[in-house]
């Protein structure tokens, strides 16, 4: 495959936000009378859109109106972002060094993106190509957000590569006709992450920015060789030419 556009998920790929978000939501749920642990919230909510998270609260946790819980969690989370948010280890250097065009595709809304990614130098590496699920009709795992990236940057889906840490994102990429790499945080406490991402359709999985850099370099080298072979045309067969 020839890669012309890299599409990065934000939370858990570019920024180390997911443990902070899970902690803030767990505390807000506990204040609302739902005794879920930080680890359980991390497992059940990570990667969900706001709509999907609300549905989970209503249908599985019995919260008739979870909006106040999310508002409580958001207020605490933004304060925590301003104190503690960091890029994922090694990702800044990787983003600066990639040769392909790049963008962000996140299930977060733009306010959260500005108050998380926007706190870091990484924002400038992608701006203005930072896309939120609120810009499309359906969030991941639907293909809408990825197709918006493809359309806005003028790159065909089969020349796009998605890097995402959730099965929902990987499934959305595959539905959009794109290849995907599953990204696993080395510090993620959840088991079976590689298997879950592969089952969703990931081309391969990597652990951390170091392995991602190696994978991207290998894919780029393979693409360059294929392009060179295509440009050279079909291999000549001297024996056939002589016989002719």
């Amino acid at each position: 495959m020839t890669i012309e556009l890299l599409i990065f998920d934000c939370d858990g790929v570019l920024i180390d936000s997911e443990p902070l978000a899970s902690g803030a939501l767990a505390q807000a749920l506990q204040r609302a009378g739902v005794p879920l642990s930080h680890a359980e919230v991390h497992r059940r909510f990570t990667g969900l859109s706001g709509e999907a998270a609300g549905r989970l609260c209503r249908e599985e946790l019995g919260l008739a109106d979870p909006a106040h819980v999310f508002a409580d969690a958001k207020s605490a989370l933004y304060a925590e972002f301003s104190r503690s948010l960091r890029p994922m280890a090694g990702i800044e250097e990787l983003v600066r060094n990639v040769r392909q065009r790049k963008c962000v595709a996140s299930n977060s809304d733009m306010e959260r993106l500005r108050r998380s990614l926007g706190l870091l130098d990484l924002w400038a590496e992608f701006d203005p190509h930072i896309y939120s699920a609120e810009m499309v009709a359906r969030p991941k795992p639907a293909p809408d957000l990825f197709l918006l990236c493809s359309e806005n940057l003028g790159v065909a889906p089969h020349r796009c590569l998605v890097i995402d840490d959730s099965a929902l994102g990987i499934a959305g990429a595959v539905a959009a006709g794109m290849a995907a790499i599953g990204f696993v945080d080395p510090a993620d406490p959840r088991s079976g992450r590689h298997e879950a991402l592969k089952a969703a359709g990931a081309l391969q999985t990597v652990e951390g920015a170091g392995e991602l850099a190696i994978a991207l370099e290998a894919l780029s080298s393979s693409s360059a060789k294929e392009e060179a072979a295509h440009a050279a045309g079909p291999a000549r067969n001297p024996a056939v030419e002589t016989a002719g």
Side-chain angles (χ1 to χ4, degrees):
M1 60 178 295
T2 299
I3 304 166
E4 296 181 9
L5 175 62
L6 297 176
I7 303 177
F8 289 83
D9 180 41
C10 183
D11 296 286
V13 175
L14 295 176
I15 60 175
D16 195 11
S17 57
E18 291 182 337
L20 302 179
S22 297
L25 180 55
Q27 292 174 12
L29 285 168
Q30 290 162 12
R31 286 191 289 270
V34 180
L36 285 186
S37 67
H38 185 170
E40 183 68 6
V41 169
H42 194 65
R43 183 183 70 82
R44 298 178 71 176
F45 283 87
T46 297
L48 296 183
S49 66
E51 179 183 352
R55 187 164 55 248
L56 188 156
C57 284
R58 289 188 298 272
E59 296 177 2
E60 299 183 31
L61 303 181
L63 286 173
D65 181 16
H68 71 283
V69 174
F70 293 130
D72 182 14
K74 180 183 289 188
S75 177
L77 179 60
Y78 289 161
E80 190 61 33
F81 279 165
S82 67
R83 291 189 296 265
S84 308
L85 184 65
R86 298 290 183 272
M88 296 296 289
I91 204 70
E92 286 182 298
E93 182 179 4
L94 182 150
V95 167
R96 284 195 298 268
N97 291 333
V98 294
R99 296 185 291 274
Q100 297 90 347
R101 301 177 73 187
K102 56 187 180 287
C103 69
V104 174
S106 174
N107 260 359
S108 294
D109 59 37
M110 284 304 299
E111 180 191 12
R112 174 163 164 165
L113 284 168
R114 290 191 182 96
R115 297 184 68 168
S116 56
L117 185 65
L119 299 174
L120 307 174
D121 292 341
L122 278 167
W123 180 277
E125 293 289 337
F126 292 96
D127 189 37
H129 298 299
I130 298 170
Y131 301 102
S132 160
E134 68 181 359
M135 298 176 176
V136 293
R138 302 174 298 169
K140 307 173 192 178
D144 303 31
L145 185 56
F146 296 119
L147 293 175
L148 176 67
C149 295
S150 170
E151 179 180 354
N152 282 6
L153 281 102
V155 178
H158 70 277
R159 294 184 180 274
C160 299
L161 177 68
V162 173
I163 301 103
D164 207 300
D165 71 324
S166 76
L168 296 178
I170 299 298
V174 172
M178 301 177 182
I181 289 179
F183 184 91
V184 178
D185 176 4
D188 194 323
R190 296 171 294 174
S191 63
R193 298 304 302 148
H194 290 274
E195 293 78 9
L197 295 170
K198 288 176 182 176
L203 181 68
Q204 65 183 104
T205 60
V206 298
E207 194 159 314
E211 289 190 7
L212 177 58
I214 293 169
L216 292 177
E217 182 60 33
L219 288 171
S220 295
S221 297
S222 176
S223 297
K225 289 177 182 177
E226 290 177 6
E227 289 181 356
H230 180 74
R236 296 175 60 192
N237 187 329
V240 172
E241 292 177 3
T242 301

